[in-house]
Amino acid sequence: MLTVLLRKDLLIEFRSREILISMVTFGAAVTLLYAFAFRPSPQSMQTFAPGLMWMIFLFVSVLALHRSHSLEKEFDAFSMILSAPIERSILFVSKCLSGFIFLVVAQVILLPLFFLFLQLPLPSNLGQMMAVFLLVDLGISAAGSLLSGTVMRVRVNEMLLPLLLFPMVTPLLISAVKSTAAMMENQPFSQWQLWFQLIVTFVIVYSLVGYLIYDYVSEE
């Protein structure tokens, strides 16, 4: 059933392309804005690049997380899914994985643009950076899917979701920025190991919490 739900979300996006187009367009526009704003000071760009990079990914993730639930709000499709004879925790896992996939695809497109437009050198430890990015994406998707399912029936859910999500993922984003900055400076893993452990802890905690309580937060 998990593969059926995940395939449904991916097929809807493949046919409409609403989520990915909006994510990539917004991310590219902000990247260009950064490029023009920091061009006179490349040293400042090198210093602030990790924080600016994760700000872009946090903002584009809100677009994916909100849209993934709002699509099923139309015609009361979400209530019909809840009435199906499946565990609602499986629905959380499918939403989490679909949001994770959308965010990874957007990053694959936006990261080269970010390094190209801002004239930043590629770090030598790309394998470590990919592992950190995937974990942070999974943490954002887990926390965002839980919140998106909670506020989807609220009238102003498009405003409430970022207001709740940004404070919730602040520890994750701080750890991501610190880890990315260390990797871009080619520091050894021992110097940013604590931040990596915080990322892993965040992913495990919110994945388990979402899996266990989604049955309750999805109730009307």
mmCIF file of all heavy atoms in Angstrom, residues 65-66 68-84 88 91 95 144-161 164 213-220:
data_model
loop_
_atom_site.group_PDB
_atom_site.id
_atom_site.type_symbol
_atom_site.label_atom_id
_atom_site.label_comp_id
_atom_site.label_asym_id
_atom_site.label_seq_id
_atom_site.Cartn_x
_atom_site.Cartn_y
_atom_site.Cartn_z
ATOM 1 N N LEU A 65 5.565 20.850 0.760
ATOM 2 C CA LEU A 65 4.827 20.244 1.867
ATOM 3 C C LEU A 65 3.383 20.725 1.908
ATOM 4 O O LEU A 65 2.460 19.950 2.157
ATOM 5 C CB LEU A 65 5.530 20.567 3.188
ATOM 6 C CG LEU A 65 6.918 19.947 3.353
ATOM 7 C CD1 LEU A 65 7.622 20.535 4.561
ATOM 8 C CD2 LEU A 65 6.812 18.438 3.483
ATOM 9 N N HIS A 66 3.187 22.005 1.647
ATOM 10 C CA HIS A 66 1.817 22.527 1.659
ATOM 11 C C HIS A 66 1.013 21.986 0.491
ATOM 12 O O HIS A 66 -0.135 21.562 0.644
ATOM 13 C CB HIS A 66 1.845 24.050 1.616
ATOM 14 C CG HIS A 66 0.502 24.660 1.354
ATOM 15 N ND1 HIS A 66 -0.531 24.612 2.259
ATOM 16 C CD2 HIS A 66 0.015 25.329 0.275
ATOM 17 C CE1 HIS A 66 -1.586 25.219 1.770
ATOM 18 N NE2 HIS A 66 -1.287 25.655 0.562
ATOM 19 N N SER A 68 1.404 19.240 -1.232
ATOM 20 C CA SER A 68 1.173 17.799 -1.232
ATOM 21 C C SER A 68 -0.100 17.432 -0.479
ATOM 22 O O SER A 68 -0.778 16.461 -0.831
ATOM 23 C CB SER A 68 2.370 17.080 -0.613
ATOM 24 O OG SER A 68 2.507 17.427 0.753
ATOM 25 N N HIS A 69 -0.444 18.200 0.561
ATOM 26 C CA HIS A 69 -1.679 17.925 1.294
ATOM 27 C C HIS A 69 -2.868 18.717 0.742
ATOM 28 O O HIS A 69 -3.990 18.247 0.783
ATOM 29 C CB HIS A 69 -1.504 18.254 2.779
ATOM 30 C CG HIS A 69 -0.855 17.159 3.560
ATOM 31 N ND1 HIS A 69 0.509 16.974 3.582
ATOM 32 C CD2 HIS A 69 -1.378 16.178 4.347
ATOM 33 C CE1 HIS A 69 0.796 15.934 4.360
ATOM 34 N NE2 HIS A 69 -0.330 15.436 4.828
ATOM 35 N N SER A 70 -2.604 19.930 0.265
ATOM 36 C CA SER A 70 -3.718 20.756 -0.211
ATOM 37 C C SER A 70 -4.356 20.171 -1.461
ATOM 38 O O SER A 70 -5.547 20.386 -1.720
ATOM 39 C CB SER A 70 -3.227 22.186 -0.487
ATOM 40 O OG SER A 70 -2.264 22.201 -1.531
ATOM 41 N N LEU A 71 -3.601 19.418 -2.266
ATOM 42 C CA LEU A 71 -4.185 18.791 -3.440
ATOM 43 C C LEU A 71 -5.292 17.810 -3.051
ATOM 44 O O LEU A 71 -6.324 17.723 -3.714
ATOM 45 C CB LEU A 71 -3.090 18.059 -4.231
ATOM 46 C CG LEU A 71 -2.164 18.911 -5.092
ATOM 47 C CD1 LEU A 71 -1.050 18.049 -5.673
ATOM 48 C CD2 LEU A 71 -2.924 19.603 -6.201
ATOM 49 N N GLU A 72 -5.081 17.078 -1.965
ATOM 50 C CA GLU A 72 -6.075 16.096 -1.541
ATOM 51 C C GLU A 72 -7.177 16.711 -0.704
ATOM 52 O O GLU A 72 -8.135 16.021 -0.359
ATOM 53 C CB GLU A 72 -5.371 14.981 -0.755
ATOM 54 C CG GLU A 72 -4.431 14.177 -1.636
ATOM 55 C CD GLU A 72 -3.672 13.151 -0.846
ATOM 56 O OE1 GLU A 72 -3.672 13.246 0.399
ATOM 57 O OE2 GLU A 72 -3.078 12.254 -1.464
ATOM 58 N N LYS A 73 -7.034 17.972 -0.359
ATOM 59 C CA LYS A 73 -8.118 18.654 0.342
ATOM 60 C C LYS A 73 -9.276 18.948 -0.600
ATOM 61 O O LYS A 73 -10.433 19.044 -0.174
ATOM 62 C CB LYS A 73 -7.588 19.951 0.969
ATOM 63 C CG LYS A 73 -8.577 20.655 1.866
ATOM 64 C CD LYS A 73 -7.952 21.904 2.480
ATOM 65 C CE LYS A 73 -8.955 22.631 3.355
ATOM 66 N NZ LYS A 73 -8.379 23.870 3.942
ATOM 67 N N GLU A 74 -8.981 19.101 -1.877
ATOM 68 C CA GLU A 74 -10.016 19.362 -2.864
ATOM 69 C C GLU A 74 -10.898 18.120 -3.030
ATOM 70 O O GLU A 74 -10.409 16.987 -3.038
ATOM 71 C CB GLU A 74 -9.380 19.751 -4.198
ATOM 72 C CG GLU A 74 -8.495 20.993 -4.105
ATOM 73 C CD GLU A 74 -7.768 21.255 -5.407
ATOM 74 O OE1 GLU A 74 -7.951 20.454 -6.341
ATOM 75 O OE2 GLU A 74 -7.013 22.245 -5.469
ATOM 76 N N PHE A 75 -12.184 18.344 -3.160
ATOM 77 C CA PHE A 75 -13.182 17.284 -3.315
ATOM 78 C C PHE A 75 -13.174 16.300 -2.141
ATOM 79 O O PHE A 75 -13.618 15.161 -2.272
ATOM 80 C CB PHE A 75 -12.972 16.519 -4.639
ATOM 81 C CG PHE A 75 -12.938 17.398 -5.837
ATOM 82 C CD1 PHE A 75 -11.752 17.647 -6.501
ATOM 83 C CD2 PHE A 75 -14.087 18.014 -6.306
ATOM 84 C CE1 PHE A 75 -11.704 18.465 -7.618
ATOM 85 C CE2 PHE A 75 -14.052 18.831 -7.424
ATOM 86 C CZ PHE A 75 -12.862 19.056 -8.070
ATOM 87 N N ASP A 76 -12.602 16.745 -1.013
ATOM 88 C CA ASP A 76 -12.564 15.930 0.205
ATOM 89 C C ASP A 76 -11.888 14.580 -0.052
ATOM 90 O O ASP A 76 -12.264 13.555 0.525
ATOM 91 C CB ASP A 76 -13.979 15.706 0.741
ATOM 92 C CG ASP A 76 -13.982 15.386 2.236
ATOM 93 O OD1 ASP A 76 -13.012 15.748 2.912
ATOM 94 O OD2 ASP A 76 -14.946 14.772 2.705
ATOM 95 N N ALA A 77 -10.863 14.595 -0.886
ATOM 96 C CA ALA A 77 -10.171 13.342 -1.214
ATOM 97 C C ALA A 77 -9.408 12.799 -0.016
ATOM 98 O O ALA A 77 -9.263 11.574 0.134
ATOM 99 C CB ALA A 77 -9.204 13.572 -2.382
ATOM 100 N N PHE A 78 -8.913 13.675 0.851
ATOM 101 C CA PHE A 78 -8.147 13.205 2.008
ATOM 102 C C PHE A 78 -9.028 12.384 2.948
ATOM 103 O O PHE A 78 -8.577 11.378 3.512
ATOM 104 C CB PHE A 78 -7.545 14.400 2.748
ATOM 105 C CG PHE A 78 -6.531 14.015 3.787
ATOM 106 C CD1 PHE A 78 -5.281 13.563 3.431
ATOM 107 C CD2 PHE A 78 -6.836 14.098 5.139
ATOM 108 C CE1 PHE A 78 -4.340 13.203 4.382
ATOM 109 C CE2 PHE A 78 -5.905 13.742 6.107
ATOM 110 C CZ PHE A 78 -4.648 13.288 5.721
ATOM 111 N N SER A 79 -10.287 12.792 3.128
ATOM 112 C CA SER A 79 -11.194 12.021 3.988
ATOM 113 C C SER A 79 -11.461 10.642 3.407
ATOM 114 O O SER A 79 -11.580 9.656 4.151
ATOM 115 C CB SER A 79 -12.510 12.776 4.177
ATOM 116 O OG SER A 79 -12.301 14.005 4.836
ATOM 117 N N MET A 80 -11.536 10.558 2.086
ATOM 118 C CA MET A 80 -11.751 9.248 1.469
ATOM 119 C C MET A 80 -10.524 8.352 1.633
ATOM 120 O O MET A 80 -10.648 7.139 1.799
ATOM 121 C CB MET A 80 -12.093 9.433 -0.017
ATOM 122 C CG MET A 80 -13.474 10.036 -0.243
ATOM 123 S SD MET A 80 -13.946 10.087 -1.986
ATOM 124 C CE MET A 80 -12.961 11.467 -2.546
ATOM 125 N N ILE A 81 -9.331 8.956 1.604
ATOM 126 C CA ILE A 81 -8.125 8.166 1.836
ATOM 127 C C ILE A 81 -8.091 7.658 3.273
ATOM 128 O O ILE A 81 -7.727 6.511 3.539
ATOM 129 C CB ILE A 81 -6.872 8.999 1.518
ATOM 130 C CG1 ILE A 81 -6.797 9.289 0.024
ATOM 131 C CG2 ILE A 81 -5.608 8.279 1.974
ATOM 132 C CD1 ILE A 81 -5.620 10.145 -0.374
ATOM 133 N N LEU A 82 -8.513 8.515 4.210
ATOM 134 C CA LEU A 82 -8.526 8.103 5.616
ATOM 135 C C LEU A 82 -9.530 6.984 5.864
ATOM 136 O O LEU A 82 -9.353 6.183 6.787
ATOM 137 C CB LEU A 82 -8.870 9.301 6.510
ATOM 138 C CG LEU A 82 -7.831 10.431 6.572
ATOM 139 C CD1 LEU A 82 -8.313 11.539 7.489
ATOM 140 C CD2 LEU A 82 -6.479 9.908 7.052
ATOM 141 N N SER A 83 -10.587 6.923 5.067
ATOM 142 C CA SER A 83 -11.583 5.867 5.241
ATOM 143 C C SER A 83 -11.147 4.538 4.636
ATOM 144 O O SER A 83 -11.813 3.521 4.832
ATOM 145 C CB SER A 83 -12.915 6.288 4.608
ATOM 146 O OG SER A 83 -12.772 6.461 3.206
ATOM 147 N N ALA A 84 -10.043 4.526 3.923
ATOM 148 C CA ALA A 84 -9.550 3.281 3.334
ATOM 149 C C ALA A 84 -9.009 2.368 4.442
ATOM 150 O O ALA A 84 -8.531 2.840 5.474
ATOM 151 C CB ALA A 84 -8.457 3.577 2.312
ATOM 152 N N ARG A 88 -2.949 4.642 9.107
ATOM 153 C CA ARG A 88 -2.682 6.036 8.763
ATOM 154 C C ARG A 88 -1.208 6.385 8.889
ATOM 155 O O ARG A 88 -0.743 7.371 8.301
ATOM 156 C CB ARG A 88 -3.533 6.946 9.641
ATOM 157 C CG ARG A 88 -5.021 6.759 9.384
ATOM 158 C CD ARG A 88 -5.877 7.660 10.221
ATOM 159 N NE ARG A 88 -7.299 7.404 9.969
ATOM 160 C CZ ARG A 88 -8.288 8.037 10.572
ATOM 161 N NH1 ARG A 88 -8.022 8.950 11.489
ATOM 162 N NH2 ARG A 88 -9.545 7.750 10.276
ATOM 163 N N LEU A 91 0.244 6.353 5.571
ATOM 164 C CA LEU A 91 -0.003 7.591 4.834
ATOM 165 C C LEU A 91 1.047 8.644 5.167
ATOM 166 O O LEU A 91 1.516 9.372 4.290
ATOM 167 C CB LEU A 91 -1.409 8.113 5.148
ATOM 168 C CG LEU A 91 -1.839 9.398 4.454
ATOM 169 C CD1 LEU A 91 -1.794 9.240 2.943
ATOM 170 C CD2 LEU A 91 -3.235 9.805 4.911
ATOM 171 N N LYS A 95 3.678 10.414 2.510
ATOM 172 C CA LYS A 95 3.804 11.867 2.372
ATOM 173 C C LYS A 95 5.230 12.321 2.657
ATOM 174 O O LYS A 95 5.765 13.216 1.996
ATOM 175 C CB LYS A 95 2.827 12.558 3.316
ATOM 176 C CG LYS A 95 1.369 12.433 2.915
ATOM 177 C CD LYS A 95 1.114 13.092 1.583
ATOM 178 C CE LYS A 95 -0.334 12.994 1.179
ATOM 179 N NZ LYS A 95 -0.577 13.571 -0.164
ATOM 180 N N GLY A 144 7.726 18.491 8.404
ATOM 181 C CA GLY A 144 6.759 19.218 7.592
ATOM 182 C C GLY A 144 5.531 18.408 7.244
ATOM 183 O O GLY A 144 4.416 18.943 7.224
ATOM 184 N N SER A 145 5.697 17.117 6.983
ATOM 185 C CA SER A 145 4.535 16.269 6.679
ATOM 186 C C SER A 145 3.631 16.134 7.893
ATOM 187 O O SER A 145 2.401 16.113 7.768
ATOM 188 C CB SER A 145 5.011 14.893 6.217
ATOM 189 O OG SER A 145 5.769 14.976 5.031
ATOM 190 N N LEU A 146 4.228 16.032 9.068
ATOM 191 C CA LEU A 146 3.434 15.959 10.290
ATOM 192 C C LEU A 146 2.635 17.241 10.506
ATOM 193 O O LEU A 146 1.432 17.205 10.791
ATOM 194 C CB LEU A 146 4.351 15.704 11.487
ATOM 195 C CG LEU A 146 3.694 15.658 12.862
ATOM 196 C CD1 LEU A 146 2.668 14.540 12.941
ATOM 197 C CD2 LEU A 146 4.750 15.491 13.941
ATOM 198 N N LEU A 147 3.288 18.384 10.333
ATOM 199 C CA LEU A 147 2.591 19.662 10.522
ATOM 200 C C LEU A 147 1.571 19.910 9.419
ATOM 201 O O LEU A 147 0.476 20.419 9.679
ATOM 202 C CB LEU A 147 3.597 20.805 10.563
ATOM 203 C CG LEU A 147 4.358 21.003 11.862
ATOM 204 C CD1 LEU A 147 5.352 22.147 11.729
ATOM 205 C CD2 LEU A 147 3.400 21.288 13.009
ATOM 206 N N SER A 148 1.927 19.572 8.188
ATOM 207 C CA SER A 148 1.012 19.806 7.071
ATOM 208 C C SER A 148 -0.268 19.002 7.232
ATOM 209 O O SER A 148 -1.372 19.493 6.955
ATOM 210 C CB SER A 148 1.706 19.458 5.755
ATOM 211 O OG SER A 148 0.871 19.740 4.660
ATOM 212 N N GLY A 149 -0.150 17.758 7.694
ATOM 213 C CA GLY A 149 -1.349 16.972 7.953
ATOM 214 C C GLY A 149 -2.161 17.498 9.115
ATOM 215 O O GLY A 149 -3.384 17.323 9.159
ATOM 216 N N THR A 150 -1.497 18.183 10.049
ATOM 217 C CA THR A 150 -2.198 18.732 11.212
ATOM 218 C C THR A 150 -3.009 19.970 10.860
ATOM 219 O O THR A 150 -4.143 20.140 11.325
ATOM 220 C CB THR A 150 -1.194 19.068 12.322
ATOM 221 O OG1 THR A 150 -0.401 17.920 12.625
ATOM 222 C CG2 THR A 150 -1.894 19.537 13.577
ATOM 223 N N VAL A 151 -2.443 20.861 10.026
ATOM 224 C CA VAL A 151 -3.076 22.160 9.771
ATOM 225 C C VAL A 151 -3.821 22.201 8.454
ATOM 226 O O VAL A 151 -4.336 23.268 8.084
ATOM 227 C CB VAL A 151 -2.010 23.283 9.797
ATOM 228 C CG1 VAL A 151 -1.234 23.267 11.100
ATOM 229 C CG2 VAL A 151 -1.041 23.158 8.623
ATOM 230 N N MET A 152 -3.906 21.088 7.720
ATOM 231 C CA MET A 152 -4.481 21.153 6.377
ATOM 232 C C MET A 152 -5.948 21.565 6.381
ATOM 233 O O MET A 152 -6.440 22.136 5.416
ATOM 234 C CB MET A 152 -4.318 19.806 5.669
ATOM 235 C CG MET A 152 -5.109 18.674 6.276
ATOM 236 S SD MET A 152 -5.056 17.185 5.258
ATOM 237 C CE MET A 152 -5.828 17.749 3.762
ATOM 238 N N ARG A 153 -6.674 21.287 7.465
ATOM 239 C CA ARG A 153 -8.093 21.636 7.510
ATOM 240 C C ARG A 153 -8.326 23.026 8.095
ATOM 241 O O ARG A 153 -9.468 23.470 8.171
ATOM 242 C CB ARG A 153 -8.856 20.590 8.327
ATOM 243 C CG ARG A 153 -8.908 19.222 7.659
ATOM 244 C CD ARG A 153 -9.813 18.286 8.414
ATOM 245 N NE ARG A 153 -9.944 17.008 7.747
ATOM 246 C CZ ARG A 153 -9.158 15.963 7.966
ATOM 247 N NH1 ARG A 153 -8.184 16.065 8.853
ATOM 248 N NH2 ARG A 153 -9.337 14.822 7.329
ATOM 249 N N VAL A 154 -7.264 23.706 8.519
ATOM 250 C CA VAL A 154 -7.395 25.066 9.020
ATOM 251 C C VAL A 154 -7.566 26.013 7.838
ATOM 252 O O VAL A 154 -6.957 25.828 6.773
ATOM 253 C CB VAL A 154 -6.167 25.449 9.860
ATOM 254 C CG1 VAL A 154 -6.296 26.862 10.420
ATOM 255 C CG2 VAL A 154 -5.993 24.450 11.008
ATOM 256 N N ARG A 155 -8.356 27.038 8.014
ATOM 257 C CA ARG A 155 -8.673 27.933 6.901
ATOM 258 C C ARG A 155 -7.439 28.668 6.400
ATOM 259 O O ARG A 155 -7.286 28.898 5.197
ATOM 260 C CB ARG A 155 -9.741 28.934 7.342
ATOM 261 C CG ARG A 155 -10.196 29.886 6.235
ATOM 262 C CD ARG A 155 -11.404 30.691 6.690
ATOM 263 N NE ARG A 155 -12.531 29.812 7.003
ATOM 264 C CZ ARG A 155 -13.705 30.265 7.467
ATOM 265 N NH1 ARG A 155 -13.876 31.557 7.684
ATOM 266 N NH2 ARG A 155 -14.667 29.412 7.717
ATOM 267 N N VAL A 156 -6.543 29.059 7.275
ATOM 268 C CA VAL A 156 -5.336 29.797 6.880
ATOM 269 C C VAL A 156 -4.116 28.879 6.981
ATOM 270 O O VAL A 156 -3.062 29.282 7.477
ATOM 271 C CB VAL A 156 -5.160 31.060 7.751
ATOM 272 C CG1 VAL A 156 -6.209 32.091 7.439
ATOM 273 C CG2 VAL A 156 -5.189 30.685 9.240
ATOM 274 N N ASN A 157 -4.256 27.651 6.488
ATOM 275 C CA ASN A 157 -3.165 26.689 6.641
ATOM 276 C C ASN A 157 -1.919 27.085 5.879
ATOM 277 O O ASN A 157 -0.813 26.744 6.273
ATOM 278 C CB ASN A 157 -3.633 25.291 6.208
ATOM 279 C CG ASN A 157 -4.178 25.278 4.792
ATOM 280 O OD1 ASN A 157 -4.099 26.268 4.065
ATOM 281 N ND2 ASN A 157 -4.746 24.167 4.411
ATOM 282 N N GLU A 158 -2.061 27.818 4.753
ATOM 283 C CA GLU A 158 -0.881 28.236 4.002
ATOM 284 C C GLU A 158 -0.021 29.216 4.782
ATOM 285 O O GLU A 158 1.176 29.354 4.520
ATOM 286 C CB GLU A 158 -1.285 28.841 2.657
ATOM 287 C CG GLU A 158 -2.084 30.139 2.746
ATOM 288 C CD GLU A 158 -3.566 29.893 2.957
ATOM 289 O OE1 GLU A 158 -3.961 28.724 3.042
ATOM 290 O OE2 GLU A 158 -4.326 30.882 3.025
ATOM 291 N N MET A 159 -0.602 29.930 5.758
ATOM 292 C CA MET A 159 0.164 30.827 6.617
ATOM 293 C C MET A 159 0.609 30.134 7.890
ATOM 294 O O MET A 159 1.698 30.405 8.413
ATOM 295 C CB MET A 159 -0.674 32.066 6.974
ATOM 296 C CG MET A 159 -1.070 32.929 5.801
ATOM 297 S SD MET A 159 -2.112 34.312 6.297
ATOM 298 C CE MET A 159 -1.068 35.126 7.501
ATOM 299 N N LEU A 160 -0.209 29.220 8.380
ATOM 300 C CA LEU A 160 0.096 28.562 9.644
ATOM 301 C C LEU A 160 1.233 27.563 9.503
ATOM 302 O O LEU A 160 2.038 27.396 10.439
ATOM 303 C CB LEU A 160 -1.154 27.868 10.171
ATOM 304 C CG LEU A 160 -1.115 27.348 11.611
ATOM 305 C CD1 LEU A 160 -0.821 28.482 12.574
ATOM 306 C CD2 LEU A 160 -2.435 26.669 11.962
ATOM 307 N N LEU A 161 1.341 26.905 8.362
ATOM 308 C CA LEU A 161 2.379 25.894 8.187
ATOM 309 C C LEU A 161 3.787 26.462 8.346
ATOM 310 O O LEU A 161 4.571 25.931 9.142
ATOM 311 C CB LEU A 161 2.215 25.207 6.822
ATOM 312 C CG LEU A 161 3.285 24.176 6.459
ATOM 313 C CD1 LEU A 161 3.309 23.047 7.485
ATOM 314 C CD2 LEU A 161 3.054 23.626 5.063
ATOM 315 N N LEU A 164 4.641 27.500 11.994
ATOM 316 C CA LEU A 164 4.937 26.398 12.908
ATOM 317 C C LEU A 164 6.190 25.626 12.498
ATOM 318 O O LEU A 164 6.921 25.122 13.352
ATOM 319 C CB LEU A 164 3.744 25.434 12.956
ATOM 320 C CG LEU A 164 2.442 25.983 13.542
ATOM 321 C CD1 LEU A 164 1.335 24.941 13.445
ATOM 322 C CD2 LEU A 164 2.634 26.413 14.987
ATOM 323 N N ILE A 213 1.993 9.236 15.889
ATOM 324 C CA ILE A 213 0.847 10.084 16.247
ATOM 325 C C ILE A 213 0.076 10.587 15.034
ATOM 326 O O ILE A 213 -0.899 11.324 15.203
ATOM 327 C CB ILE A 213 1.293 11.292 17.096
ATOM 328 C CG1 ILE A 213 2.092 12.292 16.252
ATOM 329 C CG2 ILE A 213 2.110 10.850 18.292
ATOM 330 C CD1 ILE A 213 2.376 13.590 16.972
ATOM 331 N N TYR A 214 0.477 10.199 13.815
ATOM 332 C CA TYR A 214 -0.253 10.704 12.649
ATOM 333 C C TYR A 214 -1.698 10.242 12.637
ATOM 334 O O TYR A 214 -2.569 10.908 12.081
ATOM 335 C CB TYR A 214 0.449 10.254 11.365
ATOM 336 C CG TYR A 214 -0.009 11.015 10.142
ATOM 337 C CD1 TYR A 214 0.451 12.306 9.906
ATOM 338 C CD2 TYR A 214 -0.882 10.446 9.221
ATOM 339 C CE1 TYR A 214 0.052 13.006 8.796
ATOM 340 C CE2 TYR A 214 -1.297 11.137 8.103
ATOM 341 C CZ TYR A 214 -0.832 12.424 7.893
ATOM 342 O OH TYR A 214 -1.249 13.118 6.798
ATOM 343 N N ASP A 215 -1.962 9.122 13.269
ATOM 344 C CA ASP A 215 -3.329 8.618 13.375
ATOM 345 C C ASP A 215 -4.216 9.618 14.106
ATOM 346 O O ASP A 215 -5.398 9.754 13.792
ATOM 347 C CB ASP A 215 -3.334 7.279 14.088
ATOM 348 C CG ASP A 215 -4.710 6.619 14.040
ATOM 349 O OD1 ASP A 215 -5.579 7.124 13.325
ATOM 350 O OD2 ASP A 215 -4.908 5.603 14.720
ATOM 351 N N TYR A 216 -3.647 10.341 15.068
ATOM 352 C CA TYR A 216 -4.427 11.284 15.869
ATOM 353 C C TYR A 216 -4.488 12.671 15.213
ATOM 354 O O TYR A 216 -5.523 13.326 15.243
ATOM 355 C CB TYR A 216 -3.829 11.397 17.274
ATOM 356 C CG TYR A 216 -3.738 10.076 17.995
ATOM 357 C CD1 TYR A 216 -2.547 9.362 18.040
ATOM 358 C CD2 TYR A 216 -4.855 9.529 18.607
ATOM 359 C CE1 TYR A 216 -2.472 8.128 18.685
ATOM 360 C CE2 TYR A 216 -4.803 8.305 19.261
ATOM 361 C CZ TYR A 216 -3.598 7.615 19.288
ATOM 362 O OH TYR A 216 -3.536 6.388 19.934
ATOM 363 N N VAL A 217 -3.378 13.117 14.640
ATOM 364 C CA VAL A 217 -3.376 14.464 14.057
ATOM 365 C C VAL A 217 -4.163 14.527 12.770
ATOM 366 O O VAL A 217 -4.571 15.621 12.328
ATOM 367 C CB VAL A 217 -1.929 14.942 13.790
ATOM 368 C CG1 VAL A 217 -1.114 14.929 15.062
ATOM 369 C CG2 VAL A 217 -1.255 14.095 12.724
ATOM 370 N N SER A 218 -4.417 13.392 12.113
ATOM 371 C CA SER A 218 -5.191 13.403 10.870
ATOM 372 C C SER A 218 -6.690 13.369 11.109
ATOM 373 O O SER A 218 -7.468 13.465 10.150
ATOM 374 C CB SER A 218 -4.796 12.204 9.996
ATOM 375 O OG SER A 218 -5.026 10.992 10.676
ATOM 376 N N GLU A 219 -7.106 13.245 12.365
ATOM 377 C CA GLU A 219 -8.546 13.264 12.664
ATOM 378 C C GLU A 219 -9.092 14.668 12.478
ATOM 379 O O GLU A 219 -8.408 15.653 12.676
ATOM 380 C CB GLU A 219 -8.794 12.812 14.112
ATOM 381 C CG GLU A 219 -8.488 11.336 14.349
ATOM 382 C CD GLU A 219 -9.539 10.429 13.750
ATOM 383 O OE1 GLU A 219 -10.588 10.937 13.369
ATOM 384 O OE2 GLU A 219 -9.278 9.204 13.676
ATOM 385 N N GLU A 220 -10.350 14.750 12.097
ATOM 386 C CA GLU A 220 -10.986 16.053 11.914
ATOM 387 C C GLU A 220 -11.247 16.695 13.272
ATOM 388 O O GLU A 220 -11.613 16.031 14.210
ATOM 389 C CB GLU A 220 -12.302 15.900 11.159
ATOM 390 C CG GLU A 220 -12.111 15.401 9.730
ATOM 391 C CD GLU A 220 -13.389 15.452 8.946
ATOM 392 O OE1 GLU A 220 -14.341 16.136 9.385
ATOM 393 O OE2 GLU A 220 -13.461 14.822 7.894
#
